[in-house]
């Protein structure tokens, strides 16, 4: 694991001057990834917040090669780059090791880009796919995605007088990708930079497809003041809503177990998107959400314990 | 003058790496972070969490803040383990 | 130079051209009736007859997306598809052209659903005619083969992608005589791969395909439009060079017995072959008829089309797709528009035919020439838009 001292002696390859909102966690995530990945890396971004804020012509925040193709195809696009790389390497036209990192938000990964991601993982391309999961379509104005938490208000799952926010639990994408039996799958969050950068480093060392799902708190969409982004990330891990874990060669390993698991409401009560859940009439939603967090956490504990 | 179609490289290429460094975002700020170097232990926590790469670090030491780009999100102030960073209103500081 | 004479279907011919081009990457998804191209090419890869890395994508959208990544990384890239596959690629077609990536698609013209149908018409490529891709239509297997080789070279000259198409089943699955060039001649003809840029050049990192707003989008689009204009010269240059080296020259179109013709039919693809038979028969009877076969529909050689056709008395345009505008097919619109600038401005009528693979017969084509004869005599048109071979 690189230390902060080591990292800070590296040059930022995802630099300032991008147009992400103040306090945007996704820009912290990409900055950390680029620092670890280094200059021999090609990034592919799906349409979404981070592509938009980092590439407004003629300004780019990237000091490494970057390609944007469309919304649903960053994994397929990355697979194409990796294939040319492999082809030219085979023909002896290129010798150096080059990383390919494709990324997308939860819209471009959980939803519209799910097929493209599944295909690229199944085909065993040597690339890292990174999802910055801010739990809704933030770029277009906070519409629900299949990553949006149960009960959350978004502009397409509004907390109305009859329906109190999103009625479905989020898709467990990390496990869905783990089910592709690729060599490395992990879940991470930006507050734990040490764990996260270690995972990126590991994923890039491993040959074959790797996948990291990173929680990306969003001040605008989650409705909290920008200075709390790292707190939001930390609480998501401490409530076990977003467990930090990895699946290496099919074996689940938990990277962070809170000494005392905090109640989910410690996290939700700080966010405007869950404000309606504080009312007495919606208490059952909080309970249901907590129950689901407990169920999934216990399941993960069991898998980690059984080393499966 | 912005370039015309004959002068631009083809295919939407941006050939200057990190050209966003020419686009200042510091004027987005409402509050500015101020570092109290008496309290700072140079742990670099502010540096790793800064979304805008705006904490200057030299030789493993925090040396200041790039106010041309800092958007004033105050993550640094919130996360500083020594409370060495405080936020000051831009209006007052003017 | 010794050409090999073999019997091959249109699909086999295109796959053979792909083998000889030996691209760095082929990313494809099988679809009727282009499945064979992907299958045959896969076996070339499996048998080590090409150096290509093959990406068996999970959809056409991903296939072309992977092609975009592969070409942006500096590879020579090809794929193959038809109909729904091309439609699924639609979004990425514009991106590939906008990013100026010289990808070549070997395409089989099949009707777009719905209703679903697997047979020939041109609705698929016509629906993508404004996507910024060069479009070359082939009359037979030989043209499909020759066009594929030329398309690669044209695309890399102007940095625009190209589609080479053949008619579903009629050509894609019909065994025909094919002259194949020696592998090394094909390689020498297409030359070293020319790439617009190279993402793998990590020492000179570029950002590509970023957000392009009101202040630059138009300039980038203008570049693309200019490239399509340049493609006109490239088509001619490459077609001529092909002729000099291998015996058959190619241009934007083929004029068949047009030199003294008064009445002309305009057609694309396999129907041109059928029309030639009719032209010969009618010429025997003394009718001054000719065929004007469009080979390259994008770029549209408007000036040249005008010059070649303006002295006609009457022209019938056979469209194997309808624009669903209530005003005929796409070829009709465009060719008629080319003639608007002419002072002579011949009469131009439209015949929609062969949708969903409905056969077109020589008698029907003959009836079109007969219609034209009447139209030219009277100088007036009763039915501007006609439907050929559909039951009332």
């Amino acid at each position: 694991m690189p230390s902060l001292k080591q990292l800070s002696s590296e040059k930022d390859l995802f630099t300032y001057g991008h147009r992400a909102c103040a306090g945007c966690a996704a820009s912290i995530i990409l900055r950390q990834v680029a620092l670890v990945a280094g200059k021999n890396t090609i990034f592919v971004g799906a349409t979404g917040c981070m592509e938009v804020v980092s590439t407004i012509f003629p300004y780019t925040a990237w000091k490494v090669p970057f390609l944007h193709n469309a919304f649903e195809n960053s994994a397929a696009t990355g697979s194409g780059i990796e294939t040319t790389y492999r082809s030219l390497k085979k023909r002896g036209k290129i010798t150096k090791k080059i990383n390919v990192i494709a990324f997308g938000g939860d819209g471009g990964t959980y939803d519209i880009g799910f097929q493209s991601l599944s295909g690229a993982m199944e085909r065993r391309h040597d690339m890292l796919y990174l999802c910055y999961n801010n739990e809704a379509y933030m770029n277009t104005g906070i519409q629900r995605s299949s990553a949006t938490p149960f009960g959350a208000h978004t502009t397409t799952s509004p907390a109305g007088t009859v329906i109190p926010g999103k009625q479905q639990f989020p898709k467990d994408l990390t496990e869905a990708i783990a089910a592709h039996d690729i060599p490395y799958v992990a879940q991470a969050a930006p507050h734990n930079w040490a764990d996260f950068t270690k995972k990126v480093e590991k994923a890039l060392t491993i040959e074959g497809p790797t996948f990291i799902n990173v929680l990306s708190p969003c001040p605008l969409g989650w409705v909290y003041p920008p200075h709390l982004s790292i707190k939001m990330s930390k609480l998501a891990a401490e409530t076990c809503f977003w467990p930090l874990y990895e699946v290496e060669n099919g074996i689940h390993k938990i990277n962070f177990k809170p000494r005392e698991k905090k109640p989910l409401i410690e996290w939700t009560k700080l966010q405007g998107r869950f404000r309606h859940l504080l009312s007495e009439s919606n208490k059952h939603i909080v309970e249901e959400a907590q129950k689901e967090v407990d169920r999934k956490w216990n399941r993960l504990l069991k898998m980690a314990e059984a080393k499966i | 003058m912005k370039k015309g179609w004959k002068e631009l490289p083809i295919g939407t290429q941006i050939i200057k790496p990190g050209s966003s460094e020419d686009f200042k975002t510091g004027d987005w700020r409402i509050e500015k972070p101020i570092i109290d170097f008496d309290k700072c232990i140079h742990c670099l926590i502010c540096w790793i969490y800064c979304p805008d790469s705006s904490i200057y670090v030299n030789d493993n030491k925090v040396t200041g803040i790039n106010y041309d780009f800092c958007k004033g999100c105050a993550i640094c102030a919130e996360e500083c383990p020594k409370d060495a960073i405080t936020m000051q209103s831009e209006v007052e500081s003017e | 130079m010794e050409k090999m004479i073999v019997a091959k279907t249109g699909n086999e011919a295109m796959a053979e051209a792909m083998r000889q081009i030996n691209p760095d990457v082929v990313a494809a998804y099988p679809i009727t009736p282009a499945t064979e191209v992907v299958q045959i090419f896969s076996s070339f890869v499996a048998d080590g007859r090409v150096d290509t890395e093959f990406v068996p994508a999970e959809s056409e959208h991903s296939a072309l997306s992977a092609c975009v990544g592969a070409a942006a990384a500096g590879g020579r890239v090809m794929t193959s598809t038809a109909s729904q596959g091309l439609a699924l690629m639609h979004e990425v077609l514009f991106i590939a052209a906008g990013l100026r990536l010289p990808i070549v698609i070997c395409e089989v013209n099949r009707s777009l659903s719905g209703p679903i149908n697997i047979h020939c018409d041109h609705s698929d490529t016509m629906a993508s005619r404004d996507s910024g891709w060069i479009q070359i239509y082939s009359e037979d297997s030989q043209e499909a083969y020759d066009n594929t080789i030329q398309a690669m070279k044209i695309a890399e000259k102007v940095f625009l992608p190209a589609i080479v198409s053949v008619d579903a089943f009629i050509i894609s699955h019909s065994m025909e005589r094919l002259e194949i060039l020696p592998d090394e001649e094909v390689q020498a003809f297409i030359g070293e791969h020319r790439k617009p840029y190279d993402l793998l050049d990590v020492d000179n990192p570029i950002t590509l395909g970023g957000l392009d707003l009101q202040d630059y989008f138009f300039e980038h689009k203008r570049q693309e439009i200019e490239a399509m204009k340049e493609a006109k010269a490239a088509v001619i240059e490459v077609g001529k060079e092909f002729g000099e080296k291998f015996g058959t020259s190619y241009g934007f179109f083929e004029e068949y017995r047009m030199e003294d013709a008064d009445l002309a039919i305009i057609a694309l693809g396999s129907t041109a072959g059928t029309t030639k038979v009719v032209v010969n028969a009618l010429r025997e009877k003394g009718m001054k008829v000719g065929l004007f076969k469009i080979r390259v529909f994008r770029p549209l050689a408007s000036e040249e089309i005008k010059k070649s056709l303006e002295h006609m008395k009457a022209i019938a345009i056979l469209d194997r797709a309808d624009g669903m505008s209530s005003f005929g097919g796409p070829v009709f619109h465009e060719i008629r528009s080319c003639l608007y600038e002419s002072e002579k401005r011949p009469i131009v009528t439209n015949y929609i035919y062969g949708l969903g693979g409905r056969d077109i017969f020589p008698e029907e084509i003959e009836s079109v020439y007969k219609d034209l004869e009447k139209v030219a005599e009277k100088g007036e048109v009763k039915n501007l838009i006609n439907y050929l071979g559909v039951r009332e």
Side-chain angles (χ1 to χ4, degrees):
Chain A
M1 180 191 86
S3 71
L4 279 186
K5 284 190 175 165
Q6 282 163 337
L7 280 178
S8 72
S9 61
E10 299 290 336
K11 273 201 174 138
D12 270 309
L13 296 169
F14 178 79
T15 190
Y16 49 79
H18 60 73
R19 264 53 98 70
C21 304
C24 167
S27 41
I28 304 175
I29 291 164
L30 288 185
R31 199 183 141 227
Q32 291 182 4
V33 174
L35 273 169
V36 178
K39 69 180 276 286
N40 292 348
T41 306
I42 301 172
F43 281 85
V44 182
T47 311
C49 287
M50 295 323 286
E51 167 263 330
V52 164
V53 302
S54 68
T55 66
I56 304 177
F57 196 91
Y59 301 106
T60 178
W62 298 94
K63 291 184 173 179
V64 283
F66 175 89
L67 173 63
H68 163 251
N69 187 348
F71 190 11
E72 68 279 54
N73 61 3
S74 85
T77 308
S79 80
I81 295 176
E82 186 265 351
T83 307
T84 290
Y85 172 62
R86 209 159 7 95
S87 180
L88 297 184
K89 213 168 180 190
K90 191 175 73 181
R91 292 186 182 197
K93 292 183 183 169
I94 195 162
T95 48
K96 64 174 83 164
K97 160 100 172 88
I98 293 175
N99 304 311
V100 177
I101 301 180
F103 69 83
D106 48 305
T109 310
Y110 277 69
D111 291 346
I112 201 167
F114 186 52
Q115 173 185 318
S116 157
L117 172 61
S118 175
M121 297 289 108
E122 182 274 333
R123 292 192 302 270
R124 288 292 192 272
H125 293 279
D126 186 12
M127 62 189 272
L128 164 63
Y129 190 98
L130 187 130
C131 173
Y132 65 95
N133 173 15
N134 52 27
E135 301 189 322
Y137 306 154
M138 300 314 186
N139 189 42
T140 45
I142 313 147
Q143 292 83 34
R144 65 91 86 183
S145 78
S146 64
T148 303
F150 181 67
H153 165 97
T154 70
T155 53
T156 51
S157 64
T161 50
V162 181
I163 306 169
K166 194 191 174 200
Q167 294 298 288
Q168 300 81 21
F169 292 111
K171 182 196 280 180
D172 192 340
L173 183 70
T174 310
E175 287 302 313
I177 300 303
H180 287 65
D181 286 329
I182 59 172
Y184 188 71
V185 170
Q187 220 168 248
H191 73 279
N192 197 336
W193 60 269
D195 175 70
F196 177 43
T197 53
K198 190 173 152 190
K199 282 171 176 166
V200 172
E201 207 174 44
K202 198 168 182 179
L204 293 176
T205 320
I206 290 168
E207 207 173 313
T210 53
F211 173 82
I212 305 179
N213 198 353
V214 197
L215 189 71
S216 183
C218 169
L220 202 71
W222 295 13
V223 196
Y224 64 82
H227 66 277
L228 293 181
S229 279
I230 296 298
K231 285 276 170 306
M232 289 300 160
S233 170
K234 198 169 177 216
L235 277 168
E238 288 173 344
T239 54
C240 299
F241 170 83
W242 191 258
L244 308 184
Y245 74 102
E246 57 195 348
V247 189
E248 198 174 348
N249 298 318
I251 312 291
H252 286 71
K253 187 182 160 195
I254 298 173
N255 309 110
F256 169 74
K257 274 185 211 170
R259 240 167 278 154
E260 207 178 321
K261 182 161 155 267
K262 290 188 173 159
L264 184 65
I265 198 150
E266 295 294 312
W267 181 61
T268 55
K269 73 180 182 194
L270 299 175
Q271 303 172 45
R273 63 175 172 162
F274 295 116
R275 188 170 37 220
H276 56 288
L277 301 187
L278 298 174
S279 79
E280 197 54 34
S281 60
N282 284 331
K283 217 176 154 191
H284 65 284
I285 295 174
V286 179
E287 282 163 11
E288 255 183 273
Q290 181 65 59
K291 233 193 240 168
E292 180 65 4
V293 167
D294 295 345
R295 183 188 74 81
K296 298 227 51 150
W297 175 245
N298 288 332
R299 185 171 171 271
L300 185 62
L301 282 173
K302 276 182 199 157
M303 285 196 287
E305 202 178 319
K307 295 198 165 59
I308 51 171
Chain B
M1 258 302 263
K2 283 173 182 164
K3 285 183 176 164
W5 67 267
K6 290 177 184 167
E7 303 159 298
L8 288 167
I10 64 159
T12 79
Q13 294 169 76
I14 304 176
I15 52 172
K16 185 181 173 188
S19 57
S20 65
E21 291 177 358
D22 298 334
F23 189 90
K24 292 183 180 175
T25 52
D27 57 359
W28 295 16
R29 205 171 48 241
I30 301 166
E31 288 184 325
K32 76 199 283 190
I34 311 282
I35 304 174
D36 180 347
F37 283 101
D38 291 339
K39 290 184 184 169
C40 176
I41 55 166
H42 305 283
C43 66
L44 306 180
I45 284 291
C46 56
W47 174 82
I48 191 71
Y49 288 145
C50 179
D52 294 287
S53 317
S54 294
I55 306 287
Y56 289 126
V57 172
N58 197 356
D59 218 6
N60 294 325
K61 296 268 188 285
V62 173
T63 57
I65 289 166
N66 185 347
Y67 291 116
D68 280 343
F69 292 91
C70 164
K71 294 168 187 160
C73 70
I75 287 177
C76 55
E78 177 71 19
E79 298 303 324
C80 176
K82 295 288 167 191
D83 292 328
I85 305 177
T86 47
M87 299 304 291
Q88 196 180 88
S89 161
E90 283 286 344
V91 183
E92 279 168 32
S93 67
E94 272 170 22
Chain C
M1 179 193 56
E2 197 140 336
K3 290 183 190 173
M4 197 163 56
I5 296 172
V6 291
K8 288 218 182 285
T9 66
N11 280 343
E12 289 166 350
M14 291 195 292
E16 189 63 12
M18 287 172 73
R19 180 187 67 73
Q20 295 184 309
I21 289 169
N22 195 14
D24 296 306
V25 176
V26 167
Y29 189 82
I31 180 170
T32 304
T35 309
E36 281 177 329
V37 180
V38 185
Q39 282 177 356
I40 296 165
F41 196 82
S42 302
S43 65
F44 290 153
V45 175
D47 295 337
R49 296 187 66 200
V50 286
D51 303 311
T52 313
E53 289 291 327
F54 177 62
V55 182
E58 83 296 337
S59 72
E60 288 90 352
H61 193 282
S62 285
L64 191 59
S65 299
C67 287
V68 164
R76 182 175 259 164
V77 179
M78 301 182 81
T79 184
S80 173
T81 194
S83 181
Q84 305 306 114
L86 189 64
L88 193 55
M89 288 178 176
H90 195 70
E91 179 191 29
V92 190
L93 289 176
F94 288 76
I95 297 168
L99 300 188
R100 307 290 302 277
L101 299 169
I103 301 162
V104 172
I105 299 182
C106 292
E107 209 269 351
V108 180
N109 280 121
R110 166 189 146 183
S111 319
L112 280 180
S113 300
I116 188 166
N117 173 291
I118 56 166
H119 294 278
C120 175
D121 69 33
H122 296 164
S123 51
D124 53 359
T125 47
M126 286 300 160
S128 22
R129 69 188 188 276
D130 296 338
S131 62
W133 286 59
I134 293 161
Q135 288 200 344
I136 310 179
Y137 290 80
S138 317
E139 182 185 325
D140 53 27
S141 293
Q142 187 66 54
E143 284 195 8
Y145 172 82
D146 294 352
N147 286 342
T148 302
I149 294 165
Q150 290 174 64
M152 196 78 247
K153 185 157 181 159
I154 295 164
E156 290 183 7
K157 261 183 188 291
V158 296
F159 298 135
L160 280 181
I163 294 177
V164 173
S165 67
V166 298
D167 285 350
F169 296 103
I170 304 165
I171 303 301
S172 70
H173 285 63
S174 296
M175 194 72 83
E176 290 186 289
R177 180 186 186 276
L178 182 72
E179 291 184 5
I180 291 178
L181 302 167
D183 291 0
E184 61 281 4
E185 291 288 336
V186 173
Q187 276 298 316
F189 181 78
I190 58 170
E192 272 289 304
H193 172 47
R194 278 190 83 229
K195 48 192 166 190
Y197 38 72
D198 185 351
L199 282 177
L200 287 173
D201 182 6
V202 289
D203 297 323
N204 297 291
I206 56 163
T207 288
L208 198 62
L211 183 61
D212 209 12
L213 297 173
Q214 302 93 319
D215 50 353
Y216 283 98
F217 181 89
F218 204 169
E219 278 69 25
H220 286 127
K221 275 294 161 191
R222 180 68 198 277
Q223 289 180 331
E224 194 185 330
I225 295 161
E226 290 299 320
M228 194 53 99
K229 286 188 194 165
E230 284 169 28
K232 285 182 65 179
V235 165
I236 295 301
E237 206 179 301
V238 172
K240 206 176 137 209
E241 192 188 334
F242 194 86
E244 284 162 5
K245 290 216 165 109
F246 309 128
T248 315
S249 294
Y250 287 89
F252 299 121
F253 34 76
E254 180 193 342
E255 292 170 282
Y256 188 79
R257 304 192 81 166
M258 286 288 285
E259 48 301 326
D260 62 338
D262 294 328
L263 310 173
I265 278 181
I266 297 183
L268 282 64
S270 64
T271 304
T274 318
T275 308
K276 284 174 186 171
V277 174
V278 177
V279 167
N280 290 341
L282 293 180
R283 283 272 176 180
E284 293 281 317
K285 293 180 188 165
M287 277 179 83
K288 284 182 161 184
V289 295
L291 160 75
F292 188 83
K293 179 181 86 183
I294 303 219
R295 172 182 178 246
V296 179
F297 191 57
R298 286 289 181 273
L300 186 71
S302 57
E303 219 15 67
E304 293 81 355
I305 287 171
K306 185 187 111 187
K307 262 189 213 140
S308 294
L309 295 174
E310 63 182 354
H311 58 279
M312 292 288 126
K313 283 186 179 156
I315 298 164
I317 294 175
L318 303 191
D319 257 301
R320 205 161 192 157
D322 192 281
M324 296 298 164
S325 65
S326 82
F327 189 53
V331 184
F332 168 66
H333 288 169
E334 300 205 5
I335 304 301
R336 201 163 179 251
S337 172
C338 294
L339 290 163
Y340 188 83
E341 298 302 322
S342 166
E343 279 173 22
K344 297 170 198 155
R345 229 189 271 171
I347 293 169
V348 184
T349 61
N350 192 201
Y351 289 79
I352 309 291
Y353 78 100
L355 302 190
R358 176 68 49 88
D359 281 329
I360 183 162
F361 295 97
E363 305 81 65
E364 287 167 332
I365 295 171
E366 192 177 326
S367 78
V368 173
Y369 279 119
K370 293 277 163 67
D371 287 354
L372 280 183
E373 198 175 31
K374 276 183 222 147
V375 162
E377 256 172 41
K378 291 186 186 157
E380 60 175 331
V381 181
K382 222 165 89 186
N383 294 313
L384 190 62
I385 318 285
N386 305 273
Y387 298 89
L388 202 59
V390 65
R391 292 183 299 277
E392 294 296 324

